[in-house]
Amino acid sequence: MGDVAVGARSGHEGPEEPEQGGAGPAGAGEGREPEVTESGADTPRGHGRTSAPKKPRPFWKELPLLIVIALVLALIIKTFLVQAFSIPSGSMQNTLQVSDRVLVDKLTPWFGSKPSRGEVIVFKDPDRWLENEPTPTPNVLQRGLSFIGLMPSADEKDLIKRVIGVGGDTVECNGTGPLKVNGKPLDESYVFQGNTPCSVDEGGQFKVKVPKDKLWVMGDHRQASADSRYHQTDRNQGFVPVDNVIGRAFVIAWPPNRWSTLSVPDTFHQSGINAAASATAPAALGLVGAFPFVLWRRRRLSAERTDG
């Protein structure tokens, strides 16, 4: 309700007429009939009148505003939090099937999180990996819905693979496998049935050391995936720059009967696989332990110079 100034006058009213049934101050208020306010209390006429509540706007008038808010929120979510992607090929079978929709976590990279071994990631084409691949042309509506995140990304320059090696790792394939990371063979139960972990062909036999801030990626459908193995002659030697990573695929959201999370397989948690990291651990601990001694020595030398 609006504020009501009791007894206030607008300045446009005529002279006040004398009241019937009373004269002067002594008769003020006499002879008035009380009126009932909305709250049910008797209030003299002209005093404390309550204004009627405003009627709510019709829903159809509110609908455009609700749509705009929903679209803005969808755009924010797609840009900073989660984005949907469609799987166009079978290079990640049987983990991902053609036309599956996956949700990709785009939030954690904002906090400095980097991809880990075993994660399924979506990344931008590092160097014309999709140059010879046919790309569909979405219509205007599809592009618009994709832009705000209501449809999977229409940008066909994105790829999805599994991270096998991170900076400092040594990844190798001999014969038909198994695939090894830092000398540890991987138990790859996720590899497409009938495929071998390694391919006996040009590119399928390799031993590489992953540079810092780079990734070695491979598809789960090993004999149908043009991944890091087959791009070792590009400007990145087949590695994917961490900066190209859009996010981690963490769930299959569509179709409903395919719903499942995309967790890191246990084989990537086996003991000793972090050989590259553990080799540097003693040196790092040594530096940390030496720091107090160096600091004490510097202070002692400074004190001796002052005394001298």
Side-chain angles (χ1 to χ4, degrees), residues 126-255:
D127 186 21
R128 297 177 296 177
W129 286 23
L130 297 173
E131 184 177 25
N132 298 320
E133 294 291 328
T135 56
T137 304
N139 57 41
V140 175
L141 178 60
Q142 290 173 328
R143 286 185 178 276
L145 293 177
S146 172
F147 175 74
I148 60 178
L150 296 182
M151 279 189 65
S153 175
D155 185 359
E156 296 299 331
K157 295 302 181 182
D158 299 331
L159 298 98
I160 186 166
K161 304 291 180 188
R162 189 181 297 277
V163 177
I164 301 299
V166 298
D169 287 345
T170 297
V171 185
E172 59 183 308
C173 258
N174 294 306
T176 57
L179 176 65
K180 295 181 180 180
V181 176
N182 296 325
K184 295 292 182 178
L186 300 182
D187 179 14
E188 299 186 284
S189 57
Y190 48 80
V191 168
F192 184 73
Q193 187 175 6
N195 278 196
T196 54
C198 299
S199 301
V200 185
D201 56 22
E202 185 179 358
Q205 304 290 291
F206 60 87
K207 183 175 183 178
V208 297
K209 185 167 184 178
V210 185
K212 181 181 178 182
D213 294 327
K214 297 289 179 66
L215 304 169
W216 183 266
V217 300
M218 297 174 69
D220 291 354
H221 195 167
R222 290 290 156 80
Q223 274 76 63
S225 176
D227 46 42
S228 290
R229 298 170 291 171
Y230 302 104
H231 295 280
Q232 297 183 61
T233 58
D234 72 7
R235 62 181 179 181
N236 299 301
Q237 289 79 53
F239 302 109
V240 176
V242 170
D243 289 342
N244 280 45
V245 176
I246 295 171
R248 176 181 65 89
F250 65 96
V251 68
I252 301 173
W254 191 265

Side-chain angles (χ1 to χ4, degrees), residues 16-23 27-32:
E16 188 172 346
E17 296 293 336
E19 297 284 349
Q20 296 293 330
E30 297 180 7
R32 295 184 180 180

Side-chain angles (χ1 to χ4, degrees), residues 3-183:
D3 295 329
V4 178
V6 179
R9 299 172 61 87
S10 66
H12 297 284
E13 300 176 1
E16 188 172 346
E17 296 293 336
E19 297 284 349
Q20 296 293 330
E30 297 180 7
R32 295 184 180 180
E33 295 181 1
E35 64 180 22
V36 179
T37 64
E38 291 178 9
S39 62
D42 290 348
T43 305
R45 294 179 184 272
H47 291 272
R49 182 182 296 274
T50 304
S51 59
K54 294 182 178 180
K55 293 182 178 180
R57 297 178 65 183
F59 177 73
W60 64 269
K61 289 185 178 180
E62 300 285 351
L63 186 58
L65 178 61
L66 294 176
I67 293 175
V68 170
I69 293 174
L71 293 179
V72 170
L73 289 176
L75 181 59
I76 292 173
I77 291 171
K78 174 248 185 180
T79 303
F80 299 105
L81 302 178
V82 176
Q83 185 174 355
F85 285 85
S86 178
I87 307 304
S89 72
S91 68
M92 280 296 292
Q93 289 176 323
N94 272 334
T95 303
L96 299 174
Q97 301 292 347
V98 177
S99 298
D100 278 354
R101 266 61 168 176
V102 297
L103 297 183
V104 173
D105 167 25
K106 301 177 70 175
L107 177 63
T108 51
W110 287 88
F111 295 94
S113 174
K114 293 184 178 181
S116 301
R117 301 183 201 93
E119 292 182 345
V120 177
I121 62 168
V122 173
F123 56 96
K124 295 185 181 299
D125 190 338
D127 186 21
R128 297 177 296 177
W129 286 23
L130 297 173
E131 184 177 25
N132 298 320
E133 294 291 328
T135 56
T137 304
N139 57 41
V140 175
L141 178 60
Q142 290 173 328
R143 286 185 178 276
L145 293 177
S146 172
F147 175 74
I148 60 178
L150 296 182
M151 279 189 65
S153 175
D155 185 359
E156 296 299 331
K157 295 302 181 182
D158 299 331
L159 298 98
I160 186 166
K161 304 291 180 188
R162 189 181 297 277
V163 177
I164 301 299
V166 298
D169 287 345
T170 297
V171 185
E172 59 183 308
C173 258
N174 294 306
T176 57
L179 176 65
K180 295 181 180 180
V181 176
N182 296 325

